[in-house]
Amino acid sequence: MNTQQQRHFEALYQQHLDNPILQGKRPATIDAYSRAVRRISAFFDCPPDHLTTEQLRTYFRQLIRTHSWSTVKLDRYGLQFFYRYTLSRQWIWLNIVKPPQVKRLPDLLTPDEVGLLITMTRQSRYLYRGVLPDNDIIKFNDHQVTFRYTDSQTQRPATRTLPVVQFLWLILQHVLPKGLQRVRDYGLLHGSAKALRLTIQLMLLSLPTWQLPEQTKPQKAKRDCPCCQHAMRCVGATRPR
């Protein structure tokens, strides 16, 4: 871009940065929308306000080859926002780029569909990380699943065969809701809270003579002079010749 085009682009870009803020967009959305305008301007080396439909097709055709569909969708939404609020123009994005539709599982599955789900899950590395490793599934079919587990009472390996629906129900009980993260322990149960737990236990015992252990600082080793009996201080070290 020449100097005049650069000034024009900077004015459009600043307006494009202000509009998402006025529309109440989140910082992550503002960053994605601004990145879309910068990317397409760098691709054509010109301001994006006079791009033709064929140029947009060329840009998204190249973007699909080099980036994921999530990036393509973010750039599509960002440019659509740029055309609508910055340029006050409508952009028919549906005729330019359309992400593929992803088929989702229905709420109710037939026994054959459940068996197919087990078959597809078996091909992954783990059925569900931390619950049942893939290697512990001994055999399965469209109706039953046989798996290996460790008995919590005897701490010995055992096998169990369950219907497919019941097996899936046991597995799905370990799936956390969206937005939650699995942790082993926290708060007073965390390993770093051992000293605090000990303090609380001693306080709850209400013993009159209990005392907390004193924290002592490590002392440096001292060596007295054999002549004057005063502490010596190291001032340097020499290597023997």
Side-chain angles (χ1 to χ4, degrees):
M1 288 185 285
N2 55 35
T3 305
Q4 184 178 1
Q5 289 178 335
Q6 184 66 33
R7 292 177 180 174
H8 180 58
F9 168 75
E10 291 176 356
L12 290 176
Y13 184 71
Q14 185 59 45
Q15 186 178 356
H16 179 63
L17 291 179
D18 295 337
N19 287 332
I21 299 177
L22 297 176
Q23 295 295 324
K25 301 296 183 181
R26 295 187 300 176
T29 304
I30 297 175
D31 181 67
Y33 285 6
S34 60
R35 191 185 306 114
V37 173
R38 293 197 308 269
R39 193 182 347 245
I40 196 171
S41 299
F43 184 82
F44 290 106
D45 194 23
C46 67
D49 55 336
H50 294 298
L51 297 178
T52 62
T53 303
E54 188 59 34
Q55 286 177 314
L56 291 174
R57 292 180 185 273
T58 302
Y59 170 74
F60 279 103
R61 191 182 304 116
Q62 181 64 26
L63 191 66
I64 292 173
R65 296 174 182 173
T66 57
H67 293 73
S68 63
W69 273 108
S70 60
T71 303
V72 174
K73 290 192 292 185
L74 286 175
D75 277 29
R76 185 193 70 180
Y77 295 144
L79 292 177
Q80 182 183 4
F81 188 90
F82 174 77
Y83 270 69
R84 180 178 179 182
Y85 292 97
T86 303
L87 303 181
S88 299
R89 301 204 311 247
Q90 286 296 119
W91 177 44
I92 309 301
W93 53 265
L94 187 61
N95 297 330
I96 297 176
V97 58
K98 183 179 180 181
Q101 295 182 353
V102 179
K103 293 184 178 180
R104 300 184 180 275
L105 289 175
D107 295 333
L108 297 177
L109 299 178
T110 63
D112 295 336
E113 291 173 337
V114 173
L116 179 61
L117 177 62
I118 289 293
T119 304
M120 298 301 295
T121 307
R122 181 66 170 82
Q123 298 175 0
S124 62
R125 183 178 180 182
Y126 291 104
L127 180 63
Y128 183 77
R129 184 174 58 184
V131 176
L132 185 66
D134 186 56
N135 295 331
D136 287 344
I137 300 180
I138 301 175
K139 63 179 180 179
F140 62 94
N141 51 38
D142 294 343
H143 304 285
Q144 292 181 334
V145 179
T146 302
F147 59 95
R148 185 186 303 108
Y149 70 99
T150 301
D151 193 296
S152 60
Q153 301 294 333
T154 61
Q155 298 299 322
R156 294 182 179 180
T159 59
R160 188 178 181 183
T161 300
L162 293 175
V164 170
V165 176
Q166 186 177 355
F167 172 77
L168 285 178
W169 173 247
L170 292 178
I171 293 296
L172 292 177
Q173 288 181 352
H174 296 275
V175 178
L176 296 177
K178 184 178 180 180
L180 297 183
Q181 184 178 1
R182 182 182 301 276
V183 294
R184 289 186 176 272
D185 45 33
Y186 60 94
L188 295 177
L189 299 178
H190 197 269
S192 61
K194 183 177 181 180
L196 180 59
R197 289 200 306 271
L198 177 60
T199 303
I200 295 176
Q201 290 171 359
L202 293 175
M203 294 175 63
L204 293 177
L205 289 176
S206 300
L207 296 179
T209 59
W210 71 273
Q211 292 182 354
L212 291 176
E214 297 181 358
Q215 295 182 356
T216 59
K217 296 182 179 180
Q219 298 181 356
K220 296 183 180 179
K222 294 182 179 181
R223 185 175 181 182
D224 296 336
C225 176
C227 298
C228 63
Q229 304 301 324
H230 286 79
M232 296 189 297
R233 182 169 57 90
C234 179
V235 295
T238 58
R239 297 179 59 184
R241 295 181 181 179

